[in-house]
Amino acid sequence: MDNKRLIVVVVFTTLLMALWWLSVTWIGQKYGYDLSQQQEQPTTQPAQTPPTDPLADPTTRPIATPPAATTPTTAPSTRVADPTALRVLAPAEPQTFILGSAEPGHERYAIRLTLNSLGAGIDEVVLNDYGLEGRGEERYHFQHPYPEQPNDTRPLATHSVTIAGQRIDLSRVSWSVNQEETTAEQVTFFVDIGNDAGPLVRVSKLIKLYPKTLADGTSDPRGGYEVLVRQTLDNLADRDLTLQTAINGPTTPPLELEYGYDRMAIAGYRGRNGRVEYDAWTIEEFTDDDQKRELITPEDPPLLWAGASSIYFNAIVRPWPLETGEGDIPYARYIRQVVAASLNPDADDKRDIRVGMRFFTTDLQTPAGGRQEVPFRVFFGPKERSLLKNEYYGAAGLRYNETLVSPFGCTWCVFQPVVDALVWLLSLFYWMFRDWGLAIVALVVVVRLLLHPITKRAQRSMMRMAKLGPEMEKLKKKYGDDKDAMAKAMQEFYREHGMAALPLGCLPLLLQTPIWIALYSTLQAELRLRGAPFLYGWTWIDDLAKPDHLVDFGQTYHVLFIPIGGLNLLPLLLAFVFYFQMKIQPQPAAMTPEQQTQQTIMKWMMVLMFPIFLYSAPSGLNLYIITSTLIGIWESRRVRAQFKLEEEQKAAEQPTLVKDKTPRTARGKKPEQKKPQKPLTGWRAKWAQLQDQVQHAQQEAARRSADRD
């Protein structure tokens, strides 16, 4: 009765808190109060105050360029007070350019670039083979400058150039275009920096898009997702100059998940023997206490690449080496520092944090009339395994496939080999069924078959312990509080009955836990499951990588710290299946009242808490667990039925063990001579041997029981 009261109190309290929160939210919305969590945080800076630049280089002094030199204006240079001060000469009018195509399945291009002459950067990247949400018609677009600070965050824009210690802002300057070097696949921008005496430095930037096919018509292993960004610094003066430049990095891709960590700042460092040391920081880590994060400093290992990533897409900037460095992997020696920082570290919702990135070069000693190049290879594309593991992106020095590792922080518990095996099996089953949901169901069958011997042994062990419960209870009463004697007696008891000293009931669950963790990582990082429906679109499950919204609320609420964006049916079905499994589960050995209470609480915690924790999990994972549990229920019933049949057969044969085995004659006839049987071999011999051992153990137990009496 106490257990039932405890369960009722727990359930009633949980429901009461949920109903209270929903009623407050409903009343607030009805009378005009917005109690939901805001998705967009208003800026706290006044409009008239220019925002600070958290990505500024702390090792150089502030920009000393007059205001007239940092805006696209055609005002004459005579307005500059100091005729020797460096400034941008003859800035042009702002322009935009389009490279590539956003047409789905385009024969030549995989992406479309929108370029802006302000800073000679990128305003947008469109991946024409991927939808913005799952498999919708709207194409996936990202790499937009942040609206609050567009010039400081425009991807791949040149932020500044430092000439002899004086830094000139180029991010707010509209560059001119070299029409002779501009085609349908590339644009060349340039800007001149000087003073009244004339230009000193010309900064040029080529942005080139590589198509999906090579000149000979074969497929390019880069897949059309790589862009060349090559900046050149020409010394037009009659003396040597020391030059530096700073270039913006990529912005973070859009959110994919309703909850959790799905966006990161990433970096790859040069390791040994062709390896890449991969590191990642979730966007939520860029808090107020740790606003700026330097990804590379002179004390760190050499940087190979850095960028921004989500669970499905990458934006990676790789400095293209001018020379081969020491060791087996070349790296760019002209990169001094890469800084990533949050632009709004005080955001209430950590998922709204916006992180920018900037690359700084070393001092580039440029002789009179000389040139310095700062080239980059930039990847804007999907985290598709076959692409990132090919001969180009998977080669030494790149290893972009390292970004396929789970982004959820627990990298040691992800079991990447298990993930790779699951992906291979899922791909095989998808090839067979052409449906990712059915592929998951088939994967469940394979896993349950592999674990069947262990599951069967564990269940039989639990049933034998339940049967021997009364005898175990006698031992507990006999030895009382003498723990040492009790332990020895239990060991002897287990040995006599051929049972393992350690319980095996939880072993199948423990063995499946790594698979569940790996599958969780697979479903939220496998691009092909993004937007994949279940049963060919005949069900309400239209995305196996997201929760199964039977009813979509349109926004995410947080009830008892659980994000709820809709009515999900699979977690409710999971709770029912767990409850049914609990009801038919065989009772373990006799326990004390305290142990029975603990077991009851644990069972109800599993029935209630497990579905709550998995409420916002990918529908594919819930589908896996439900299918696995249903198969486990059927498997358990079969094992129990077989165990019961064996026990009945043993009970029927038990009286014959103490009788005279001499055959009787009937009607004076001689006993029939049995034909000699062939000796048993293989599994039949092992099974017969096992039956003999069980029979012998039963005889010993009966004899010892008779001796005690």
Side-chain angles (χ1 to χ4, degrees):
M1 183 63 67
D2 293 338
N3 295 339
K4 293 183 179 180
R5 290 178 180 176
L6 177 62
I7 294 169
V8 171
V9 170
V10 172
V11 175
F12 178 76
T13 304
T14 303
L15 293 177
L16 183 63
M17 295 178 66
L19 290 175
W20 175 84
W21 186 92
L22 291 174
S23 62
V24 170
T25 303
W26 180 81
I27 293 173
Q29 292 179 349
K30 181 177 179 62
Y31 291 98
Y33 299 100
D34 188 5
L35 302 178
S36 62
Q37 189 170 2
Q38 300 295 323
Q39 298 297 325
E40 296 293 335
Q41 301 296 332
T43 179
T44 58
Q45 283 186 322
Q48 65 272 17
T49 303
T52 59
D53 182 13
L55 298 172
D57 187 358
T59 62
T60 58
R61 61 189 178 91
I63 296 176
T65 307
T70 61
T71 57
T73 177
T74 57
S77 60
T78 56
R79 295 180 59 184
V80 181
D82 185 2
T84 63
L86 298 180
R87 62 186 184 276
V88 175
L89 304 178
E93 293 294 328
Q95 302 180 69
T96 58
F97 300 86
I98 302 294
L99 302 181
S101 173
E103 178 184 350
H106 196 276
E107 295 182 359
R108 183 167 178 81
Y109 302 112
I111 65 177
R112 185 188 72 185
L113 296 178
T114 300
L115 309 181
N116 195 325
S117 61
L118 287 174
I122 296 175
D123 273 351
E124 184 184 59
V125 176
V126 179
L127 305 182
N128 56 35
D129 286 336
Y130 298 92
L132 183 61
E133 294 184 359
R135 304 191 179 187
E137 296 183 358
E138 185 179 2
R139 297 297 86 192
Y140 185 84
H141 53 84
F142 66 138
Q143 293 308 300
H144 306 96
Y146 296 128
E148 294 78 6
Q149 295 175 258
N151 296 319
D152 292 330
T153 60
R154 181 168 288 110
L156 278 302
T158 300
H159 188 266
S160 64
V161 170
T162 303
I163 304 175
Q166 184 174 353
R167 189 153 53 102
I168 298 92
D169 188 347
L170 298 181
S171 63
R172 295 162 176 80
V173 175
S174 180
W175 295 32
S176 302
V177 177
N178 188 336
Q179 298 294 341
E180 296 180 356
E181 299 182 5
T182 298
T183 65
E185 297 178 355
Q186 68 178 41
V187 176
T188 300
F189 301 93
F190 71 92
V191 66
D192 291 334
I193 302 174
N195 49 31
D196 287 351
L200 292 179
V201 175
R202 166 166 286 191
V203 184
S204 302
K205 181 186 287 185
L206 168 68
I207 301 179
K208 180 179 180 180
L209 172 63
Y210 291 105
K212 294 192 293 185
T213 56
L214 299 173
D216 57 0
T218 59
S219 298
D220 191 333
R222 293 171 290 192
Y225 297 108
E226 192 169 75
V227 177
L228 171 64
V229 179
R230 184 175 63 207
Q231 180 169 296
T232 58
L233 304 171
D234 291 304
N235 185 356
L236 306 180
D238 56 359
R239 65 182 187 279
D240 297 349
L241 294 176
T242 300
L243 307 177
Q244 287 185 6
T245 185
I247 298 177
N248 292 337
T251 56
T252 53
L255 284 167
E256 293 280 350
L257 303 178
E258 294 182 359
Y259 79 105
Y261 305 146
D262 67 343
R263 296 178 300 164
M264 301 173 292
I266 59 177
Y269 304 93
R270 191 186 74 164
R272 296 181 179 180
N273 302 323
R275 299 187 60 185
V276 172
E277 300 295 334
Y278 172 65
D279 207 349
W281 302 266
T282 61
I283 297 303
E284 290 76 8
E285 293 183 53
F286 291 84
T287 60
D288 196 10
D289 296 334
D290 190 15
Q291 178 179 350
K292 182 175 293 186
R293 186 180 297 275
E294 298 178 357
L295 300 182
I296 178 67
T297 60
E299 293 78 17
D300 289 332
L303 179 77
L304 297 177
W305 43 262
S309 175
S310 70
I311 58 174
Y312 296 124
F313 298 97
N314 280 334
I316 301 176
V317 178
R318 176 170 61 97
W320 191 20
L322 296 178
E323 60 183 71
T324 302
E326 299 177 359
D328 53 356
I329 300 179
Y331 66 96
R333 298 187 176 186
Y334 54 83
I335 297 298
R336 171 175 55 89
Q337 188 180 53
V338 180
V339 175
S342 171
L343 279 66
N344 58 337
D346 298 326
D348 294 334
D349 189 353
K350 298 305 181 183
R351 287 161 53 86
D352 290 335
I353 291 178
R354 297 181 294 275
V355 172
M357 186 175 293
R358 193 166 297 160
F359 291 73
F360 298 91
T361 67
T362 59
D363 290 338
L364 304 175
Q365 304 298 331
T366 311
R371 166 178 289 189
Q372 291 285 354
E373 288 190 354
V374 183
F376 296 92
R377 301 271 184 168
V378 187
F379 174 82
F380 298 119
K383 295 170 70 171
E384 184 179 346
R385 294 178 181 271
S386 60
L387 176 69
L388 299 186
K389 288 187 175 183
N390 66 16
E391 67 275 15
Y392 181 78
Y393 293 119
L398 276 74
R399 302 285 182 174
Y400 288 173
N401 56 296
E402 296 289 341
T403 62
L404 296 172
V405 176
S406 174
F408 296 100
C410 186
T411 56
W412 61 269
C413 62
V414 170
F415 306 103
Q416 194 61 33
V418 180
V419 173
D420 295 337
L422 290 177
V423 170
W424 183 85
L425 283 175
L426 282 174
S427 301
L428 175 63
F429 293 137
Y430 177 76
W431 174 80
M432 297 171 59
F433 301 109
R434 312 308 298 176
D435 184 271
W436 287 107
L438 294 178
I440 292 175
V441 173
L443 179 65
V444 175
V445 176
V446 171
V447 173
R448 298 297 307 199
L449 285 175
L450 293 176
L451 296 178
H452 175 71
I454 300 176
T455 304
K456 181 178 179 180
R457 182 179 178 184
Q459 291 183 358
R460 291 176 66 90
S461 176
M462 291 179 61
M463 287 184 286
R464 292 180 64 186
M465 290 185 66
K467 182 180 178 181
L468 298 174
E471 297 186 27
M472 296 174 64
E473 189 66 22
K474 292 180 181 179
L475 291 178
K476 293 178 182 179
K477 292 180 180 180
K478 179 179 180 181
Y479 293 100
D481 297 333
D482 192 348
K483 296 182 179 180
D484 294 336
M486 180 67 183
K488 294 180 180 179
M490 291 298 295
Q491 289 181 355
E492 181 66 20
F493 180 81
Y494 288 139
R495 187 183 63 81
E496 290 178 359
H497 293 85
M499 296 170 56
L502 296 177
L504 301 176
C506 296
L507 185 58
L509 180 62
L510 294 176
L511 292 177
Q512 286 195 87
T513 300
I515 299 176
W516 287 358
I517 296 174
L519 185 67
Y520 185 90
S521 173
T522 301
L523 294 178
Q524 289 196 328
E526 177 57 38
L527 183 63
R528 293 174 295 178
L529 269 65
R530 180 177 181 261
F534 177 47
L535 281 180
Y536 312 101
W538 296 343
T539 65
W540 76 97
I541 305 174
D542 55 2
D543 192 342
L544 290 168
K546 291 185 178 180
D548 62 303
H549 289 340
L550 183 63
V551 178
D552 195 343
F553 295 159
Q555 57 182 335
T556 302
Y557 300 95
H558 288 76
V559 181
L560 302 178
F561 307 102
I562 303 298
I564 298 178
L567 176 61
N568 304 332
L569 186 57
L570 286 181
L572 303 180
L573 294 176
L574 183 62
F576 174 77
V577 171
F578 279 169
Y579 176 78
F580 182 69
Q581 183 186 38
M582 180 192 70
K583 294 296 292 184
I584 68 171
Q585 186 175 4
Q587 294 297 324
M591 296 180 295
T592 62
E594 293 79 7
Q595 292 174 335
Q596 292 178 355
T597 302
Q598 294 177 1
Q599 185 186 28
T600 303
I601 294 176
M602 290 300 297
K603 286 183 177 180
W604 279 103
M605 288 287 289
M606 182 176 180
V607 172
L608 295 178
M609 301 305 295
F610 221 97
I612 291 176
F613 291 151
L614 293 172
Y615 188 83
S616 298
S619 56
L621 179 62
N622 282 324
L623 178 64
Y624 180 96
I625 298 177
I626 289 176
T627 308
S628 179
T629 306
L630 290 175
I631 295 177
I633 292 174
W634 175 83
E635 184 181 30
S636 178
R637 292 175 66 89
R638 295 287 298 176
V639 172
R640 290 202 309 272
Q642 184 180 5
F643 182 82
K644 184 179 180 180
L645 180 61
E646 293 176 0
E647 291 296 319
E648 292 177 352
Q649 292 177 351
K650 292 177 183 178
E653 296 174 356
Q654 187 70 22
T656 62
L657 298 178
V658 295
K659 294 181 180 180
D660 187 7
K661 297 183 180 180
T662 304
R664 298 180 180 178
T665 60
R667 299 180 182 179
K669 295 183 179 179
K670 295 182 179 181
E672 297 181 359
Q673 299 293 331
K674 295 184 179 180
K675 298 181 179 180
Q677 297 181 352
K678 296 181 180 180
L680 299 178
T681 59
W683 66 271
R684 293 184 177 86
K686 294 181 180 180
W687 177 253
Q689 184 179 4
L690 180 60
Q691 287 180 327
D692 292 340
Q693 292 176 356
V694 171
Q695 196 174 40
H696 179 71
Q698 290 176 341
Q699 292 176 354
E700 268 311 302
R703 184 183 62 78
R704 294 189 181 188
S705 178
D707 293 342
R708 294 195 195 100
D709 296 339

